[in-house]
Each structure stands twice: as structure tokens, then as C-alpha cells.
Amino acid sequence: MDRRRRFRRIGGFEICNTLLMLAVCFLTLYPMWFVLINSLNAPQQASLGTINWFPAELSLASYSVVFNDKTMMNGFYITTLRTVIGTAVHVLFTAIVAYGMSKSNLIGRKLYLKIALITMLFSGGLIPSFILMTKLGLYDNFWVFIIPSMYTFFNMVIFMSFFRTIPDSLEESAKVDGASDYGVLFRIVLPNSMAVIATISLFSAVYHWNDYYQGVIYIRSQDILPLQTLLYKIIAENSMSFMQQQAMAQFGARLPGNSIKFASMMVATLPILVFYPFIQRFLVKGVMIGAIKG
Amino acid sequence: MFQYRSEQMKALFRQWQLQSMVIPGIIWMVIFCYLPMFWLIIAFMDFSIAKPMLESPFVGLKHFEDFVTDDRFWRSIRNTLGMSTLKLVLGFPIPIVFALLLNEIRSLRFKRTVQTISYLPHFIAWTIFGGIALNWLGEGGVINQLMMALGLQEREILFNSDPKYFWWITFFTDTLKETGWSAIIYIAAIAGIDPGLYEAAELDGANRRQRMWHITVQSIRPTIAILFILAVSGILGSNFEQIFMLKNNMNMKMAESLDLYIYNMGLVSGRHSFSTAVLFARSIVALALLFLANHTSKKLTGDSIF
């Protein structure tokens, strides 16, 4: 790096490139900023997507509507529950299978890998899966969020290749001390695999937090609708009658629909925005781990 | 108490702990991956969800004949190919160019900041991102204001209600959301290039453009090839979460992709067997595409997945 620097001078290319990168940052950040300022706008301002930089009139009224909405708060709870349980189950289950698979003396390993590889090429797809979920009693059931996504072959391979880099001597010494395979996994292997656990947890958590499609397909009952599915209904199907009624009562006849939409969007994104600075340092490492053997 | 038949059985019993770790994974796969494949058989039946599968009558290729004569099916093929082609031809190079340009940024701190910011939209749900797009594209939205301020259009256009814009909307929103993320793999590949190559090229008098082209691009070519194979083989797929969010009754003519068609026919209209027939045909073509793209890439560039 440093050596190359000597050969370079600031030229037109440098300037254009820097400006271009700044434009990328702007294009990326402005949409989020836009949601934030419009959610903080007074509902009466009811901004219709005007280009602006700051709220015309600062107000938390829209947030109070969202936080007082029982359906939304239940959605928030369901999504949080789903994210926590879904991620824990996925990581634990996938890691345990991967540990078994990482042992080359495992009898039937080749057969197991073949069984798994076929699933990479063929799959049932939407309708057969839907029928299966219905037959398994997972339709309109909270566990439809957890069980069908508790394992993916791809993440298993990532865990497996990571476990194979852990020196055998570590495991052997624990074995000599009389540890079982489960003991070795939980006391030696997993504590030494924090990087990969963090990465896979992150991807799993983001998936669970952001998914709205499972909720659209498999869930009918209001009380187990995830937040993102509710948001989909509010934004794409424009079905915010309950919140609108409530807001109308609160703010008079003018429909403050937009700022409430933005406040809901903000509430649904806040956890990601809060955790993002802490998780982003895992990203590159994580993707690399995935790319090596993937 | 047990009479072992062979050494293998003894060995198997000795590693019962390891086996007990792996077997649940296999059982999970059999249930959630193999059983749906088995249910694909309903493509050849007149299946009704209320009855046990085996009581449904076999109808052979009836559903396959039905969908190939359905205009809506061909429309969904056209839409899928249209959107995929945009993403493939215009969209595929964008993350590569972004990675190359980012790599030319000297300040390490600025580079990291840009990179970190560029990933962010990948982690934002399509409900949010699509919601912003819907707001911006609508009446009085940012896009309309911008276009009018720039004098590019005279009056407001409801972009999302006009089918002719739909493909471009999916292209732009996808590019905005995923460019930074897709670039990671290239950035990682670039980071792995031996710096000695650049030094040697510099001594030989190669300028920046030549170094970029002859060293950086050539070094990441295998990565590009693999991602291109995957992109080509995925041409019949579409980003369901994105399209489902942005579609509406007015733009359906251009928005209904194959995925959405399968969803609408199967889950909205309840034609399970018909939809499964479409799905079945698509899986076979997609698989053929994967092998074809892989073979072609191997022939042309020597890089392939398998």
C-alpha cells in the first residue's frame, strides 16, 4: 500500500473518484435520513415526500401513535421473539450438525454430504412447501418462523470448514481428560469459534428481523403477525385503518398517514441502525469465511 | 446384549455421539427439502388440499399443457427475463466497477467509511426500502420534484402506476440496495492480490488504467466468472420480496414475474397443481441453465463452479 502511494499524485481521476464515492454515500444514507426527518415531522405537516433536510416542525406525535398501537407493538414483540429464538435455534442446530460432519472418520459422511448436495440443486419450491407446512400443522403457527429455517446446508458448510481449522491437539487433550464429543464441542470448539458464530448469528438475525414474506404466506392470525408483515400491509396494501382512525381522533380530520408510515418504518429499522455500527466489523470477515468454501 | 454383525456396526456404535449430532440434520433435510420434492408429484395430479394426496386423480401433463397456452404465463416469462436481463447486463458490472474504484481510494479511513456506508441498505428490509421507493415515486414525491426541477418532465407522473416504468424501478431499487454488498466479494478478492504484481507493473511503466485492467481485473476474473454463472442460472428467478412489495394492480402487466405468477395461481387462486406444474418446469429449465452457463464459462474462460 505505502509503496504504491509514492507513485501517485492527486489528479482529475482522484477528484472524480472521491466525488463519486461521496455520491454513493449520499444515495445510500439519504433515504434513511428522509425516513427519519419525516417521521419526526409534525403529522399536520403531512409531508408528501418533499425533498427536505430537516423536519419542518419537530414532533414525536407519530411515534406516540405507533407506540400506542397494540397491533404494532405486538408485531414488534413477535419479531423480537422470532429473531431471538430463530437465531439461537439456527446457530445451535447448524453448529452441532456441522461438528459431526467435520469429523472425517464419521461413518456415512460421504452419503450425508450427497444427500445434502442434492438439496442445493433441486428443491420443492413454494407450493409443495406450502402444502407441507399445512400438513405439518405449521400454517398459522409461530413455529413456522423457527423450524423451517433452523438449518441451511450453506451455513453448515461454513461452520464445518471453520471447525476443521481448529487444531486437533486441542480436542485430543480434552478427550484424554475424558470429555465426550458433546463436551469437546461445547467446551473447546464453540468457544474458539466466536468469529463464525457471530457471523452466522448476524445473518440469521437480519433474515428473521427483515422477513415479511413468511408472514404474508403462512400467517393469518393478527396476534402472530411479525412487524415487517404488518408494515407490508400498511405500506403496500395501504391498510392502516385502525391506526389512521386513532390518529384522526388525535389530530383532527387531516390524515397524517405519511408521517405515521415513516414512524413505523423507523421503529422497524431502529434495532438494525442501533446494532449496525457494532456488527459491521464482522461483515467482511464473515463474507470471507462464507466465500472460501461456499 | 447386542450381537454385533460387523466391525462397522461396532464403530458406528462407538461414535453414537457424533451420529446423534448429524442424524437430526439429515432428518430435517428429509422433511423440509425432500418431502417438498416428493410433493412436486401433484403437478401431474388434480390435487386438492382437503384430500389425501393419493386419492387425487393422475392427469398426466394436463397442467403443463394448460400453462403453455396461458398468455399470462408467457407474459410472466417475458417480465422475468426482462427484469433479469436488466440486472444481468446493466447491473452485474456495477459492483465490480464500484469495487475497482473504491480500491483506488487512497485514504484508508475514507475507503472504510464508504464501504461501511455502502453495505447499510442491504440490511434494511424490503418493506422499508420499498416503502421509501413507493413514497418517492408517487404524487409529490422526491423523484417527481427532482425531474420537474431539472426540467425533464412537465407534470407529475405516477411512476409506480405506469407499467412501463416497473422494470426500471426494480433495477434501480435493487442496484441502490445491493451494490455495496455485492461488491464485498470483489473487494475481498482484490485485497488478496499479491502487491508484488503491482510493483512489478509499475517498474515496467504500467499506468493506473493498465494496472487496473491487467492486474486487478485479471486477478478477480475467476470470482467474476463464478458470480456470473450463478447470475445466469438464476435468470428465471426474481427477487420475490422486492417485486411483491412494489407491485400493484395497475402495474401487474409488467410486474408479474414467474415467481409472482406461481404465487398468484397457487396461493391466491388456489390452483395448487397448476402452479406446481409451472414450478416443476421452471426448476428443470433453471437446472439446465446452470449446467449450460457453467459449461460455457469453462470453455471460454477456464473458470467454473464444477
Side-chain angles (χ1 to χ4, degrees):
Chain A
M1 250 353 193
D2 285 333
R3 273 186 192 217
R4 273 200 282 155
R5 221 172 256 187
R6 270 189 297 164
F7 293 88
R8 292 186 184 173
R9 280 177 196 89
I10 290 180
F13 176 83
E14 245 81 42
I15 297 167
C16 290
N17 197 13
T18 307
L19 288 176
L20 192 73
M21 291 301 142
L22 288 173
V24 169
C25 294
F26 174 76
L27 280 174
T28 311
L29 290 177
Y30 184 69
M32 288 323 295
W33 178 246
F34 179 87
V35 176
L36 179 70
I37 54 179
N38 279 294
S39 68
L40 289 170
N41 234 333
Q44 288 85 348
Q45 297 287 332
S47 97
L48 270 168
T50 328
I51 307 172
N52 42 18
W53 307 106
F54 297 102
E57 194 189 324
L58 206 64
S59 155
L60 287 172
S62 310
Y63 284 93
S64 87
V65 174
V66 176
F67 281 114
N68 282 315
D69 188 76
K70 275 211 187 89
T71 320
M72 288 299 281
M73 283 305 104
N74 188 59
F76 198 92
Y77 167 71
I78 291 294
T79 299
T80 311
L81 200 65
R82 167 190 178 174
T83 304
V84 171
I85 300 178
T87 304
V89 170
H90 177 83
V91 170
L92 193 66
F93 188 71
T94 309
I96 291 175
V97 178
Y99 182 69
M101 291 295 284
S102 71
K103 297 278 161 253
S104 22
N105 66 348
L106 183 81
I107 295 167
R109 184 168 184 272
K110 281 206 174 115
L111 174 73
Y112 299 150
L113 276 176
K114 267 183 204 137
I115 290 175
L117 275 170
I118 290 172
T119 66
M120 300 282 277
L121 289 175
F122 303 95
S123 73
L126 178 66
I127 309 295
S129 305
F130 180 84
I131 295 169
L132 176 72
M133 297 306 164
T134 316
K135 299 277 175 195
L136 291 175
L138 287 172
Y139 182 78
D140 209 12
N141 181 333
F142 175 79
W143 291 97
V144 79
F145 298 132
I146 313 294
I147 298 170
S149 57
M150 68 194 275
Y151 177 84
T152 58
F153 177 59
F154 188 75
N155 287 350
M156 192 282 278
V157 173
I158 294 175
F159 265 124
M160 188 174 76
S161 27
F162 193 90
F163 291 161
R164 296 195 137 201
T165 64
I166 293 174
D168 286 339
S169 53
L170 257 177
E171 295 175 45
E172 272 156 23
S173 63
K175 281 261 170 141
V176 171
D177 290 344
S180 66
D181 287 315
Y182 281 97
V184 174
L185 172 63
F186 286 106
R187 290 192 193 166
I188 311 286
V189 175
L190 286 184
N192 280 302
S193 309
M194 278 310 164
V196 68
I197 290 174
T199 305
I200 296 198
S201 304
L202 166 67
F203 290 144
S204 172
V206 169
Y207 161 75
H208 278 292
W209 187 268
N210 280 345
D211 169 72
Y212 74 96
Y213 166 59
Q214 301 290 324
V216 170
I217 294 179
Y218 294 118
I219 303 298
R220 288 292 159 272
S221 321
Q222 277 284 323
D223 54 334
I224 44 175
L225 272 182
L227 185 62
Q228 302 289 1
T229 310
L230 277 167
L231 209 57
Y232 163 77
K233 285 172 195 278
I234 291 171
I235 295 166
E237 296 179 348
N238 249 318
S239 62
M240 55 185 317
S241 54
F242 177 71
M243 265 204 288
Q244 261 173 355
Q245 281 163 14
Q246 216 183 23
M248 269 168 74
Q250 208 171 334
F251 301 108
R254 182 129 189 235
L255 284 185
N258 270 320
S259 68
I260 293 178
K261 274 185 196 173
F262 288 125
S264 316
M265 281 155 86
M266 222 46 228
V267 170
T269 319
L270 226 48
I272 288 195
L273 296 182
V274 169
F275 285 117
Y276 188 69
F278 300 102
I279 61 181
Q280 57 86 16
R281 65 195 176 96
F282 289 113
L283 296 180
V284 177
K285 211 189 291 167
V287 172
M288 286 301 287
I289 292 173
I292 291 163
K293 289 268 164 137
Chain B
M1 137 182 99
F2 286 107
Q3 204 64 32
Y4 296 120
R5 248 170 259 139
S6 66
E7 284 297 311
Q8 267 249 284
M9 286 298 282
K10 264 186 214 166
L12 196 66
F13 192 75
R14 235 180 286 123
Q15 53 174 238
W16 69 270
Q17 286 200 351
L18 286 178
Q19 292 289 342
S20 75
M21 292 176 179
V22 177
I23 301 288
I26 302 299
I27 293 173
W28 184 94
M29 261 193 251
V30 167
I31 295 175
F32 289 97
C33 300
Y34 282 85
L35 274 184
M37 282 188 228
F38 172 68
W39 280 94
L40 278 172
I41 207 166
I42 68 167
F44 306 95
M45 292 174 155
D46 262 338
F47 171 77
S48 149
I49 202 156
K51 277 188 290 186
M53 184 168 75
L54 293 171
E55 284 177 23
S56 310
F58 266 94
V59 293
L61 294 174
K62 185 184 113 187
H63 299 295
F64 291 82
E65 285 160 22
D66 284 352
F67 79 70
V68 293
T69 54
D70 183 14
D71 289 341
R72 215 172 135 186
F73 168 74
W74 291 107
R75 200 183 72 184
S76 72
I77 293 268
R78 182 204 61 194
N79 292 341
T80 309
L81 290 179
M83 289 186 267
S84 299
T85 309
L86 271 187
K87 274 183 200 169
L88 203 61
V89 176
L90 295 179
F92 187 79
I94 292 175
I96 304 175
V97 173
F98 176 67
L100 289 175
L101 290 177
L102 188 70
N103 186 50
E104 296 296 322
I105 294 284
R106 285 195 215 166
S107 152
L108 204 60
R109 192 188 287 170
F110 182 55
K111 193 166 157 181
R112 282 222 183 105
T113 312
V114 175
Q115 213 185 339
T116 303
I117 291 172
S118 72
Y119 309 146
L120 180 65
H122 173 78
F123 292 93
I124 308 281
W126 266 112
T127 47
I128 315 288
F129 213 76
I132 301 171
L134 291 179
N135 182 274
W136 281 16
L137 294 164
E139 199 185 355
V142 168
I143 307 292
N144 268 311
Q145 288 184 31
L146 200 67
M147 297 292 264
M148 284 181 349
L150 294 171
L152 292 169
Q153 67 190 46
E154 302 225 320
R155 69 180 96 95
E156 300 222 326
I157 298 173
L158 296 177
F159 290 98
N160 209 45
S161 310
D162 193 337
K164 74 174 176 214
Y165 297 114
F166 192 83
W167 294 2
W168 290 103
I169 293 172
T170 58
F171 170 70
F172 282 117
T173 48
D174 187 74
T175 302
L176 212 54
K177 193 172 184 297
E178 304 296 340
T179 295
W181 185 251
S182 318
I184 288 192
I185 194 109
Y186 299 114
I187 292 167
I190 291 172
I193 300 173
D194 176 10
L197 286 174
Y198 290 103
E199 282 164 30
E202 272 167 3
L203 288 175
D204 290 344
N207 63 25
R208 186 208 306 272
R209 196 174 45 79
Q210 286 167 326
R211 289 196 306 263
M212 250 166 108
W213 182 254
H214 292 292
I215 298 174
T216 318
V217 175
Q218 295 309 315
S219 305
I220 62 173
R221 207 189 54 190
T223 313
I224 298 177
I226 285 169
L227 293 178
F228 195 73
I229 296 170
L230 291 174
V232 169
S233 58
I235 204 162
L236 286 179
S238 53
N239 188 339
F240 192 91
E241 291 215 2
Q242 175 193 22
I243 292 173
F244 199 68
M245 187 70 203
L246 296 170
K247 62 118 183 35
N248 59 39
N249 289 333
M250 260 114 50
N251 61 25
M252 198 51 114
K253 210 170 72 187
M254 300 296 270
E256 193 170 57
S257 63
L258 211 44
D259 277 335
L260 193 53
Y261 178 75
I262 289 167
Y263 172 87
N264 282 335
M265 286 301 178
L267 298 188
V268 179
S269 311
R271 298 171 68 184
H272 292 115
S273 285
F274 178 86
S275 242
T276 308
V278 181
L279 205 83
F280 195 96
R282 186 184 69 170
S283 310
I284 289 173
V285 177
L287 200 64
L289 276 173
L290 179 66
F291 283 104
L292 189 72
N294 191 58
H295 181 76
T296 313
S297 167
K298 204 193 275 180
K299 275 270 149 71
L300 292 179
T301 67
D303 301 312
S304 64
I305 308 181
F306 41 74

